[in-house]
Amino acid sequence: MVTLITTFFGIGQLNPAPGTWGSLAAVVLAVLLYQAGGAMLLPLAVVLVTLLGFWAVPQVLANSDDPDPSWIVIDEVAGQWLALCFTFIPLARHGVPVLAAWPAIVVPFLLFRLFDIWKPWLVGRADRRGDTTGLMLDDLWAGLFAGLTSVALAGLYHGLLEPRL
């Protein structure tokens, strides 16, 4: 059970770049949830996978020499869903179909992957902890930064750059 959770039902076993596969799977599931009318459930999903990650990851790491195996992707799922909350919830509140607003999917995905790989500031600090908290927290920070940056870019686009009719 803990392996299913930490690999997000085996997605973490895909190569190359299991973290990217985990993030992409999270995006696909978030879009499906949105289209089923459950975009407002996305924050609850973030909390659920975060709690599951904090429960399952220590059990897996207890039998591992690697403090952050690449096949553990539950942290990417939590961070990616957090990033998507910043664009999906406003779209849902305004009744906008998510596929019609495709930048609301692509931008948080790309920014999350950027922050997760680059590991600036608090993301890197969390990653350097080398423990379960750091493993989960670096992706949550990356998701928060990706979400906030997505909102800032959307505000810039819609406020300054969007063509006016």
Side-chain angles (χ1 to χ4, degrees):
M1 181 60 126
V2 294
T3 302
L4 278 176
I5 292 169
T6 56
T7 64
F8 200 61
F9 303 98
I11 298 294
Q13 302 295 338
L14 296 176
N15 284 309
T20 300
W21 287 111
S23 297
L24 187 58
V27 169
V28 170
L29 283 174
V31 168
L32 292 173
L33 182 66
Y34 185 101
Q35 291 181 318
M40 301 306 268
L41 294 176
L42 196 53
L44 181 61
V46 171
V47 172
L48 178 64
V49 297
T50 300
L51 291 174
L52 282 172
F54 275 108
W55 172 76
V57 168
Q59 295 178 57
V60 170
L61 291 182
N63 301 320
S64 175
D65 294 332
D66 186 352
D68 190 358
S70 61
W71 50 266
I72 294 178
V73 296
I74 192 70
D75 52 332
E76 271 83 11
V77 174
Q80 186 65 70
W81 281 350
L82 177 58
L84 290 169
C85 284
F86 285 83
T87 55
F88 280 28
I89 291 171
L91 290 176
R93 293 189 73 190
H94 293 290
V96 177
V98 72
L99 295 178
W102 61 267
I105 302 168
V106 174
V107 171
F109 171 76
L110 293 175
L111 288 171
F112 173 73
R113 293 308 300 145
L114 173 70
F115 290 131
D116 188 29
I117 294 166
W118 176 32
K119 300 201 183 304
W121 189 37
L122 294 172
V123 181
R125 184 180 296 169
D127 184 64
R128 287 188 294 276
R129 288 177 57 113
D131 60 5
T132 299
T133 301
L135 188 145
M136 292 296 297
L137 199 54
D138 77 316
D139 290 283
L140 292 169
W141 280 119
L144 178 65
F145 294 158
L148 290 172
T149 305
S150 296
V151 169
L153 290 173
L156 180 66
Y157 176 78
H158 291 294
L160 297 176
L161 303 175
E162 186 174 41
R164 307 258 185 241
L165 296 177

